[in-house]
Protein backbone atom coordinates (compact mmCIF):
# COMPACT_ATOMS: atom_id res chain seq x y z
CA UNK A 1 0.00 0.00 0.00
CA UNK A 2 1.48 3.33 -1.05
CA UNK A 3 2.75 5.54 1.80
CA UNK A 4 2.63 2.61 4.24
CA UNK A 5 4.82 -0.27 3.09
CA UNK A 6 7.68 1.94 1.97
CA UNK A 7 7.69 3.62 5.39
CA UNK A 8 8.00 0.24 7.11
CA UNK A 9 10.96 -0.88 5.01
CA UNK A 10 13.45 -2.46 7.40
CA UNK A 11 16.50 -1.77 5.23
CA UNK A 12 15.68 1.94 4.92
CA UNK A 13 15.02 2.17 8.65
CA UNK A 14 18.37 0.55 9.49
CA UNK A 15 20.17 2.81 7.01
CA UNK A 16 18.63 5.89 8.63
CA UNK A 17 19.55 4.69 12.12
CA UNK A 18 23.12 4.10 10.93
CA UNK A 19 23.17 7.71 9.72
CA UNK A 20 21.97 8.88 13.15
CA UNK A 21 24.78 6.85 14.71
CA UNK A 22 27.31 8.56 12.46
CA UNK A 23 25.85 12.01 13.14
CA UNK A 24 25.56 11.97 16.93
CA UNK A 25 28.47 12.99 19.15
CA UNK A 26 26.83 13.48 22.55
CA UNK A 27 23.61 12.61 24.45
CA UNK A 28 20.38 14.26 23.32
CA UNK A 29 16.83 14.02 24.69
CA UNK A 30 14.07 14.18 22.07
CA UNK A 31 10.34 14.14 22.83
CA UNK A 32 7.77 12.73 20.41
CA UNK A 33 4.70 14.77 21.21
CA UNK A 34 2.03 12.42 19.84
CA UNK A 35 0.69 9.23 21.42
CA UNK A 36 0.35 7.64 17.99
CA UNK A 37 4.07 8.12 17.49
CA UNK A 38 4.71 6.65 20.94
CA UNK A 39 2.81 3.49 20.03
CA UNK A 40 4.76 3.16 16.78
CA UNK A 41 8.07 3.63 18.61
CA UNK A 42 7.29 1.06 21.28
CA UNK A 43 5.62 -1.44 18.95
CA UNK A 44 8.58 -1.49 16.55
CA UNK A 45 11.28 -1.08 19.21
CA UNK A 46 12.68 2.04 17.56
CA UNK A 47 14.00 3.55 20.80
CA UNK A 48 15.96 0.34 21.43
CA UNK A 49 17.43 0.45 17.92
CA UNK A 50 18.65 4.05 18.17
CA UNK A 51 22.19 4.74 19.43
CA UNK A 52 22.44 4.99 23.21
CA UNK A 53 23.12 8.74 22.96
CA UNK A 54 19.53 9.33 21.79
CA UNK A 55 16.90 9.22 24.52
CA UNK A 56 13.29 9.38 23.36
CA UNK A 57 10.75 10.53 25.94
CA UNK A 58 7.00 10.54 25.58
CA UNK A 59 4.91 13.71 25.57
CA UNK A 60 1.33 14.74 26.41
CA UNK A 61 0.04 14.13 22.87
CA UNK A 62 -2.81 11.84 23.88
CA UNK A 63 -6.03 13.88 24.18
CA UNK A 64 -7.77 11.18 26.21
CA UNK A 65 -4.85 11.13 28.65
CA UNK A 66 -4.73 14.87 29.28
CA UNK A 67 -8.48 15.35 29.79
CA UNK A 68 -8.73 16.42 33.45
CA UNK A 69 -10.66 14.58 36.11
CA UNK A 70 -13.06 17.49 36.56
CA UNK A 71 -14.11 17.22 32.90
CA UNK A 72 -14.56 13.44 33.17
CA UNK A 73 -16.69 13.96 36.28
CA UNK A 74 -18.73 16.60 34.44
CA UNK A 75 -19.30 14.14 31.56
CA UNK A 76 -20.37 11.46 34.02
CA UNK A 77 -22.82 13.83 35.72
CA UNK A 78 -24.39 14.80 32.40
CA UNK A 79 -24.51 11.19 31.13
CA UNK A 80 -26.28 10.11 34.34
CA UNK A 81 -29.26 12.38 33.65
CA UNK A 82 -32.39 10.45 32.58
CA UNK A 83 -33.15 12.86 29.73
CA UNK A 84 -29.67 12.66 28.15
CA UNK A 85 -28.18 10.42 25.49
CA UNK A 86 -24.44 10.83 25.93
CA UNK A 87 -22.33 10.11 22.85
CA UNK A 88 -18.58 9.62 22.75
CA UNK A 89 -15.66 7.92 21.10
CA UNK A 90 -14.95 4.57 22.73
CA UNK A 91 -11.70 5.42 24.54
CA UNK A 92 -13.39 7.92 26.82
CA UNK A 93 -15.83 5.42 28.30
CA UNK A 94 -13.17 3.70 30.41
CA UNK A 95 -11.22 6.75 31.57
CA UNK A 96 -11.61 6.84 35.36
CA UNK A 97 -13.26 9.82 36.97
CA UNK A 98 -12.96 10.48 40.68
CA UNK A 99 -15.42 7.69 41.61
CA UNK A 100 -16.60 5.92 38.44
CA UNK A 101 -16.44 6.03 34.61
CA UNK A 102 -18.82 6.36 31.69
CA UNK A 103 -18.87 2.62 31.04
CA UNK A 104 -20.23 2.01 34.53
CA UNK A 105 -22.82 4.74 33.96
CA UNK A 106 -23.88 2.81 30.87
CA UNK A 107 -23.99 -0.51 32.73
CA UNK A 108 -26.17 1.11 35.41
CA UNK A 109 -28.74 2.05 32.78
CA UNK A 110 -27.49 5.36 31.44
CA UNK A 111 -27.95 6.01 27.73
CA UNK A 112 -24.27 6.18 26.76
CA UNK A 113 -23.35 5.36 23.17
CA UNK A 114 -20.18 5.01 21.08
CA UNK A 115 -19.91 6.68 17.68
CA UNK A 116 -17.18 6.96 15.06
CA UNK A 117 -18.03 10.48 13.90
CA UNK A 118 -19.50 13.57 15.59
CA UNK A 119 -21.97 13.76 12.71
CA UNK A 120 -23.41 10.48 13.99
CA UNK A 121 -24.38 12.37 17.13
CA UNK A 122 -26.11 15.05 15.04
CA UNK A 123 -28.07 12.41 13.13
CA UNK A 124 -29.03 10.78 16.42
CA UNK A 125 -30.36 14.10 17.72
CA UNK A 126 -32.57 14.31 14.63
CA UNK A 127 -33.96 10.85 15.33
CA UNK A 128 -34.72 11.39 19.03
CA UNK A 129 -36.09 14.95 19.32
CA UNK A 130 -37.46 14.21 22.79
CA UNK A 131 -33.98 13.57 24.24
CA UNK A 132 -30.95 15.75 24.81
CA UNK A 133 -28.01 14.37 22.80
CA UNK A 134 -24.60 15.41 24.13
CA UNK A 135 -21.39 14.69 22.24
CA UNK A 136 -18.08 14.55 24.11
CA UNK A 137 -15.83 16.71 21.92
CA UNK A 138 -12.22 15.97 22.83
CA UNK A 139 -9.00 15.95 20.86
CA UNK A 140 -6.23 18.12 19.51
CA UNK A 141 -6.44 20.28 16.41
CA UNK A 142 -6.75 17.07 14.39
CA UNK A 143 -10.32 16.23 15.42
CA UNK A 144 -11.51 19.79 16.04
CA UNK A 145 -12.58 20.54 12.42
CA UNK A 146 -14.96 17.56 12.31
CA UNK A 147 -16.44 18.58 15.66
CA UNK A 148 -16.83 22.14 14.41
CA UNK A 149 -18.66 20.83 11.34
CA UNK A 150 -21.02 18.90 13.61
CA UNK A 151 -21.91 22.13 15.42
CA UNK A 152 -22.43 23.93 12.10
CA UNK A 153 -24.67 21.11 10.88
CA UNK A 154 -26.72 21.17 14.08
CA UNK A 155 -27.14 24.94 13.68
CA UNK A 156 -28.25 24.57 10.06
CA UNK A 157 -30.81 21.97 11.09
CA UNK A 158 -32.06 24.12 13.94
CA UNK A 159 -31.54 21.36 16.48
CA UNK A 160 -32.31 22.39 20.04
CA UNK A 161 -31.54 18.98 21.54
CA UNK A 162 -27.90 18.72 20.47
CA UNK A 163 -24.93 20.03 22.43
CA UNK A 164 -21.23 19.35 22.81
CA UNK A 165 -19.08 19.03 25.92
CA UNK A 166 -15.92 20.62 24.53
CA UNK A 167 -12.51 19.63 25.85
CA UNK A 168 -10.24 20.46 22.91
CA UNK A 169 -6.58 21.14 23.61
CA UNK A 170 -3.84 22.70 21.46
CA UNK A 171 -0.29 21.43 20.98
CA UNK A 172 1.94 24.56 20.69
CA UNK A 173 1.02 25.99 24.14
CA UNK A 174 1.71 22.57 25.69
CA UNK A 175 5.18 22.49 24.12
CA UNK A 176 5.84 25.97 25.52
CA UNK A 177 4.65 24.88 28.97
CA UNK A 178 7.06 21.94 28.90
CA UNK A 179 9.96 24.09 27.72
CA UNK A 180 9.22 26.71 30.36
CA UNK A 181 9.24 24.19 33.19
CA UNK A 182 12.27 24.35 35.51
CA UNK A 183 12.67 20.56 35.30
CA UNK A 184 12.59 20.40 31.48
CA UNK A 185 15.18 18.11 29.90
CA UNK A 186 13.81 18.02 26.33
CA UNK A 187 16.16 19.41 23.69
CA UNK A 188 14.13 18.76 20.52
CA UNK A 189 10.59 17.76 19.54
CA UNK A 190 9.04 15.47 16.95
CA UNK A 191 5.71 17.22 16.47
CA UNK A 192 2.46 15.55 15.43
CA UNK A 193 2.05 15.29 11.66
CA UNK A 194 -1.73 15.09 11.69
CA UNK A 195 -2.03 18.25 13.82
CA UNK A 196 0.22 20.09 11.37
CA UNK A 197 -1.77 18.74 8.43
CA UNK A 198 -4.61 20.88 9.75
CA UNK A 199 -2.73 23.82 11.27
CA UNK A 200 0.56 23.96 9.38
CA UNK A 201 3.72 24.76 11.31
CA UNK A 202 3.81 28.56 11.52
CA UNK A 203 2.84 28.43 15.22
CA UNK A 204 6.02 26.46 15.97
CA UNK A 205 8.44 28.89 14.37
CA UNK A 206 8.47 31.44 17.24
CA UNK A 207 8.84 28.56 19.75
CA UNK A 208 11.97 27.31 17.99
CA UNK A 209 13.44 30.81 18.09
CA UNK A 210 12.39 31.67 21.64
CA UNK A 211 13.61 28.45 23.26
CA UNK A 212 16.37 27.48 20.85
CA UNK A 213 14.98 24.01 20.15
CA UNK A 214 14.53 22.11 16.88
CA UNK A 215 10.96 21.05 16.06
CA UNK A 216 10.52 18.46 13.32
CA UNK A 217 7.04 17.81 11.89
CA UNK A 218 6.96 14.01 11.79
CA UNK A 219 4.68 11.23 10.57
CA UNK A 220 3.74 8.02 12.33
CA UNK A 221 5.33 5.11 10.50
CA UNK A 222 8.70 3.72 11.69
CA UNK A 223 10.70 5.34 8.87
CA UNK A 224 8.94 8.66 9.47
CA UNK A 225 10.03 8.64 13.09
CA UNK A 226 13.68 7.71 12.55
CA UNK A 227 13.90 10.26 9.72
CA UNK A 228 12.45 12.87 12.07
CA UNK A 229 14.97 11.88 14.73
CA UNK A 230 17.82 12.18 12.21
CA UNK A 231 16.68 15.68 11.21
CA UNK A 232 16.48 16.69 14.88
CA UNK A 233 19.94 15.24 15.64
CA UNK A 234 21.52 17.06 12.71
CA UNK A 235 20.08 20.35 13.95
CA UNK A 236 21.21 19.71 17.51
CA UNK A 237 24.72 18.76 16.45
CA UNK A 238 25.04 21.89 14.30
CA UNK A 239 23.54 24.25 16.89
CA UNK A 240 20.48 25.03 14.79
CA UNK A 241 16.95 25.55 16.09
CA UNK A 242 14.39 25.56 13.29
CA UNK A 243 11.13 23.97 12.22
CA UNK A 244 11.62 21.26 9.59
CA UNK A 245 9.04 19.12 7.85
CA UNK A 246 9.65 15.38 7.53
CA UNK A 247 5.96 14.67 6.78
CA UNK A 248 6.04 16.30 3.36
CA UNK A 249 3.48 13.94 1.86
CA UNK A 250 0.78 15.46 4.07
CA UNK A 251 1.86 18.76 5.63
CA UNK A 252 2.35 22.23 4.18
CA UNK A 253 3.52 25.31 6.06
CA UNK A 254 0.07 26.91 6.05
CA UNK A 255 -1.90 23.72 6.72
CA UNK A 256 -5.48 23.19 5.57
CA UNK A 257 -6.98 26.63 5.12
CA UNK A 258 -10.59 25.37 4.83
CA UNK A 259 -10.27 23.47 8.11
CA UNK A 260 -8.65 26.44 9.83
CA UNK A 261 -11.45 28.72 8.63
CA UNK A 262 -14.06 26.40 10.15
CA UNK A 263 -12.17 26.34 13.45
CA UNK A 264 -11.95 30.13 13.51
CA UNK A 265 -15.68 30.39 12.91
CA UNK A 266 -16.90 27.89 15.51
CA UNK A 267 -14.28 28.03 18.29
CA UNK A 268 -12.41 30.58 20.36
CA UNK A 269 -9.09 30.00 22.11
CA UNK A 270 -9.32 29.63 25.88
CA UNK A 271 -7.27 28.47 28.85
CA UNK A 272 -7.41 24.73 29.58
CA UNK A 273 -6.54 22.44 32.44
CA UNK A 274 -4.34 19.48 31.41
CA UNK A 275 -4.22 16.34 33.48
CA UNK A 276 -0.74 15.93 34.90
CA UNK A 277 0.43 19.35 33.70
CA UNK A 278 -1.99 21.92 35.08
CA UNK A 279 -3.59 25.00 33.61
CA UNK A 280 -2.01 26.23 30.37
CA UNK A 281 -3.07 29.66 29.09
CA UNK A 282 -4.47 29.74 25.56
CA UNK A 283 -4.21 25.96 25.21
CA UNK A 284 -7.77 24.99 24.32
CA UNK A 285 -10.89 25.68 22.30
CA UNK A 286 -14.36 26.63 23.51
CA UNK A 287 -17.43 27.33 21.43
CA UNK A 288 -17.65 30.93 20.24
CA UNK A 289 -20.61 33.07 21.31
CA UNK A 290 -22.67 32.56 18.12
CA UNK A 291 -22.70 28.83 18.94
CA UNK A 292 -22.94 29.07 22.73
CA UNK A 293 -26.39 27.45 22.65
CA UNK A 294 -24.64 24.19 21.76
CA UNK A 295 -22.33 24.32 24.78
CA UNK A 296 -23.24 21.39 27.06
CA UNK A 297 -21.30 22.91 29.94
CA UNK A 298 -23.63 25.90 29.86
CA UNK A 299 -26.74 23.87 29.18
CA UNK A 300 -26.17 21.42 32.03
CA UNK A 301 -24.82 23.15 35.08
CA UNK A 302 -22.87 20.61 37.11
CA UNK A 303 -20.69 20.86 40.20
CA UNK A 304 -17.44 19.27 39.11
CA UNK A 305 -14.60 19.88 41.51
CA UNK A 306 -10.99 19.15 40.63
CA UNK A 307 -10.20 16.02 42.64
CA UNK A 308 -6.67 14.78 43.10
CA UNK A 309 -5.42 11.71 41.26
CA UNK A 310 -4.45 8.64 43.22
CA UNK A 311 -0.95 8.84 44.65
CA UNK A 312 -0.17 5.43 43.13
CA UNK A 313 -0.48 6.85 39.60
CA UNK A 314 2.40 8.84 38.07
CA UNK A 315 0.55 9.70 34.84
CA UNK A 316 1.51 13.36 35.18
CA UNK A 317 5.22 12.52 35.19
CA UNK A 318 4.74 10.20 32.20
CA UNK A 319 2.86 12.90 30.25
CA UNK A 320 5.66 15.40 30.92
CA UNK A 321 8.36 12.97 29.80
CA UNK A 322 9.87 12.76 33.28
CA UNK A 323 9.22 9.06 33.78
CA UNK A 324 8.68 5.99 31.60
CA UNK A 325 5.50 3.96 32.26
CA UNK A 326 7.50 0.97 33.49
CA UNK A 327 8.95 3.16 36.25
CA UNK A 328 5.51 3.51 37.87
CA UNK A 329 5.09 1.34 41.01
CA UNK A 330 1.53 0.50 39.90
CA UNK A 331 2.41 -0.45 36.30
CA UNK A 332 1.13 -3.92 35.44
CA UNK A 333 -0.01 -4.63 39.01
CA UNK A 334 -2.44 -2.10 40.47
CA UNK A 335 -2.83 -0.51 37.03
CA UNK A 336 -3.68 -2.61 33.96
CA UNK A 337 -5.89 -2.02 30.91
CA UNK A 338 -8.67 -3.96 32.67
CA UNK A 339 -8.36 -1.93 35.87
CA UNK A 340 -6.66 1.37 34.97
CA UNK A 341 -5.68 3.96 37.53
CA UNK A 342 -4.96 6.59 34.92
CA UNK A 343 -5.98 7.51 31.38
CA UNK A 344 -2.59 6.63 29.76
CA UNK A 345 -3.35 2.97 30.47
CA UNK A 346 -6.78 3.25 28.80
CA UNK A 347 -6.30 5.20 25.61
CA UNK A 348 -5.24 3.65 22.33
CA UNK A 349 -2.65 6.46 22.24
CA UNK A 350 -1.60 6.22 25.89
CA UNK A 351 2.07 5.56 26.66
CA UNK A 352 1.24 3.16 29.51
CA UNK A 353 -1.00 1.09 27.24
CA UNK A 354 1.78 0.96 24.62
CA UNK A 355 4.29 -0.34 27.16
CA UNK A 356 1.80 -2.86 28.53
CA UNK A 357 0.81 -4.28 25.15
CA UNK A 358 4.13 -4.19 23.29
CA UNK A 359 6.88 -4.43 25.88
CA UNK A 360 8.05 -7.31 28.06
CA UNK A 361 8.96 -5.11 30.98
CA UNK A 362 8.52 -6.52 34.43
CA UNK A 363 6.20 -4.41 36.61
CA UNK A 364 8.13 -2.03 38.85
CA UNK A 365 9.10 -3.58 42.17
CA UNK A 366 7.65 -2.11 45.33
Amino acid sequence: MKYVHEFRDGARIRTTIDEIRRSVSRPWTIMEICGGQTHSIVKHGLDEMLPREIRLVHGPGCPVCVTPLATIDRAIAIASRPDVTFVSFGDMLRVPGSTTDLLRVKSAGGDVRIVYSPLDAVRLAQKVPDRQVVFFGIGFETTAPANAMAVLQAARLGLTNFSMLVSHVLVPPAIEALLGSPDNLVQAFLTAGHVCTVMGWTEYEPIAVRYGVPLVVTGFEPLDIVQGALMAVRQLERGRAEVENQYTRSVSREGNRAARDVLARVFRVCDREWRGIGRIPGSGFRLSEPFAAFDAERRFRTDAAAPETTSACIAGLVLRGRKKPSECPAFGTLCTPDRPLGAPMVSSEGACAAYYHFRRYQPAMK
Side-chain angles (χ1 to χ4, degrees), residues 71 75 78 84-90 92 102 113-125 132-139 143-151 154 161-168 267 287 294-297 299-300:
T71 301
I78 294 172
V84 166
T85 297
F86 196 86
V87 184
S88 174
F89 297 133
M92 296 305 301
L102 287 166
R113 308 190 191 186
I114 296 173
V115 294
Y116 298 97
S117 164
L119 291 174
D120 291 340
V122 175
R123 285 188 285 268
L124 180 61
Q132 288 292 323
V133 175
V134 180
F135 178 72
F136 202 174
I138 72 153
T143 55
N147 290 349
M149 289 300 299
V151 172
N161 66 324
F162 173 84
S163 60
M164 185 177 294
L165 181 59
V166 180
S167 187
H168 277 297
F267 293 119
L287 289 174
F294 298 100
D295 188 343
E297 195 168 341
R299 185 174 297 188
F300 304 96

Side-chain angles (χ1 to χ4, degrees), residues 175 179 184 186-189 204 207-215 235-236 240-243:
I175 292 177
L179 289 170
N184 173 61
V186 179
Q187 296 159 298
F189 286 87
Y204 298 99
I207 298 175
V209 173
R210 186 177 303 123
Y211 294 96
V213 295
L215 296 105
Q235 283 204 52
L236 289 166
R240 292 165 45 218
E242 302 169 7
V243 181

